Amino acid sequence: MKLLQMVKLRGEHKDGNLLCVGCEELAKCHCIECQENYCQRHGDFHDRSRATCDHHLVVIEDILESHQAYQMLHKRHYCLSHTKELVSLFCRECEKAVCPRCAIGFHKSHDVTSIEEVYEHIKVKMEELKKKTESKIYNLKQSIVKIKNAEREGDVESLAAKRKIQEMTERCINFLKERELDLVGLVNQRCSANEDVMKIQLTQIEENLTMLKEGQEFIQTAFCNWTEAEIVAIEDQMISKLEELSSIETHKYTYPVSKTEFLDDGIKGLTGAIDELGNVVAEERVRVAISNLGNFTRENTGAGRALAR
């Protein structure tokens, strides 16, 4: 059982996605020989069965702390061609770890260096990529702060707009009540639209932040627990993953999309219409004047205008 398999098993178990092969219950243990996962009941049966009683069952929660995992982390790596020779060199041309006998044999004319030198080179590259991810994490955290501040400002603006609407409706009695409801509805609609956009942005930022943190934790765990040969063996995958994470954009978010403000326009027009009350035409003009009271202005940011298009 490989170390990466152990890490994957532990992760799937933690997420609740690792099920017993014999039923739908969450797996509790893993058989090294059968490479299968069992719940407690099926694990006990597997351990008592005459055909599998000599198999090795390990508790998945403790799999990385098990004796086998310890041996995987600390074992010495021997050459596949010369089984008694330790792997201590690296052939750059073939991109593989080799022993001294391989170096003076098949790889004699190749560019061969010590595996420690390759390890240090990989470590330097990982540190550079790690710094990039740290910068991305900082930018994403700042974006979250800005969006949350913008959300609070939007709430304050919404309350101020509603207060002005209520003050205006007190002067216009019955006809203004209908307009009040319309204006409040507009405020809520604009604020709801802003909140929806900001929630989407927050979700995207938090997902990217989680990916960056997990990538960083994986690299730290690898350098703390894995052998040099194991890190060299998955160099391409590690670099590819970190480069993918470091390419995440962190400057494309808007805070907020639009600003909501209430303008109490139309008061003079309403006063003139009230002077003409007493006939059908005047009544209709009053209604038209009330419908024109209070216009909402929408200040779009660059990103907001792009979104509107």
Side-chain angles (χ1 to χ4, degrees), residues 48-288:
R48 293 194 304 269
S49 175
R50 180 177 298 179
T52 57
C53 62
D54 59 339
H55 287 193
H56 297 85
L57 289 176
V58 292
V59 178
I60 295 174
E61 288 185 351
D62 303 328
I63 197 166
L64 292 180
E65 288 76 31
S66 66
H67 178 68
Q68 186 195 26
Y70 180 85
Q71 289 180 327
M72 290 286 293
L73 290 170
H74 299 280
K75 73 177 182 179
R76 306 177 76 182
H77 293 268
Y78 291 88
C79 178
L80 296 178
S81 300
H82 310 97
T83 56
K84 294 184 178 181
E85 293 287 340
L86 288 172
V87 171
S88 59
L89 301 171
F90 185 82
C91 177
R92 296 184 186 277
E93 187 171 331
C94 299
E95 295 186 347
K96 64 180 294 186
V98 298
C99 71
R101 290 179 63 184
C102 288
I104 61 177
F106 179 78
H107 302 272
K108 182 177 181 180
S109 60
H110 295 179
D111 181 11
V112 178
T113 185
S114 69
I115 203 166
E116 290 82 5
E117 181 180 344
V118 177
Y119 168 80
E120 290 299 327
H121 178 67
I122 294 174
K123 187 176 180 180
V124 170
K125 289 195 290 187
M126 295 302 162
E127 286 297 328
E128 293 175 354
L129 290 172
K130 178 183 174 184
K131 290 179 180 178
K132 290 183 180 180
T133 61
E134 289 175 347
S135 175
K136 297 288 184 179
I137 289 173
Y138 174 79
N139 290 337
L140 290 174
K141 287 183 177 179
Q142 291 301 307
S143 296
I144 290 175
V145 171
K146 291 178 181 178
I147 286 181
K148 289 184 176 180
N149 289 339
E151 189 175 15
R152 286 193 291 270
E153 292 173 1
D155 292 339
V156 172
E157 293 166 359
S158 173
L159 291 173
K162 291 178 181 180
R163 185 175 60 252
K164 286 186 176 181
I165 292 170
Q166 292 168 353
E167 292 172 353
M168 181 192 69
T169 56
E170 290 176 359
R171 300 191 301 268
C172 297
I173 314 174
N174 295 329
F175 286 117
L176 289 179
K177 291 295 182 180
E178 182 179 354
R179 182 58 178 166
E180 177 189 12
L181 295 176
D182 292 340
L183 291 173
V184 171
L186 283 174
V187 172
N188 290 334
Q189 182 181 354
R190 296 286 171 81
C191 292
S192 177
N194 281 349
E195 288 174 359
D196 290 341
V197 172
M198 288 187 283
K199 285 178 181 178
I200 292 173
Q201 293 175 350
L202 277 174
T203 299
Q204 293 174 342
I205 291 173
E206 289 170 349
E207 288 177 353
N208 290 338
L209 181 62
T210 299
M211 290 174 60
L212 288 169
K213 285 184 175 180
E214 289 178 349
Q216 197 175 54
E217 290 172 359
F218 174 75
I219 295 303
Q220 291 175 345
T221 301
F223 280 103
C224 290
N225 299 324
W226 296 8
T227 64
E228 298 170 349
E230 287 171 334
I231 291 177
V232 169
I234 63 168
E235 171 192 2
D236 291 340
Q237 295 95 314
M238 295 171 72
I239 292 177
S240 176
K241 185 61 178 178
L242 281 178
E243 287 178 342
E244 177 186 349
L245 294 175
S246 65
S247 66
I248 293 175
E249 294 292 336
T250 58
H251 304 289
K252 62 182 181 180
Y253 304 103
T254 58
Y255 337 99
V257 172
S258 63
K259 179 179 180 180
T260 303
E261 184 179 1
F262 178 75
L263 302 177
D264 56 352
D265 299 333
I267 291 294
K268 292 182 179 179
L270 175 62
T271 303
I274 291 175
D275 292 339
E276 297 182 18
L277 283 174
N279 56 56
V280 175
V281 174
E283 182 179 356
E284 291 297 320
R285 291 180 63 186
V286 169
R287 292 186 180 277
V288 172

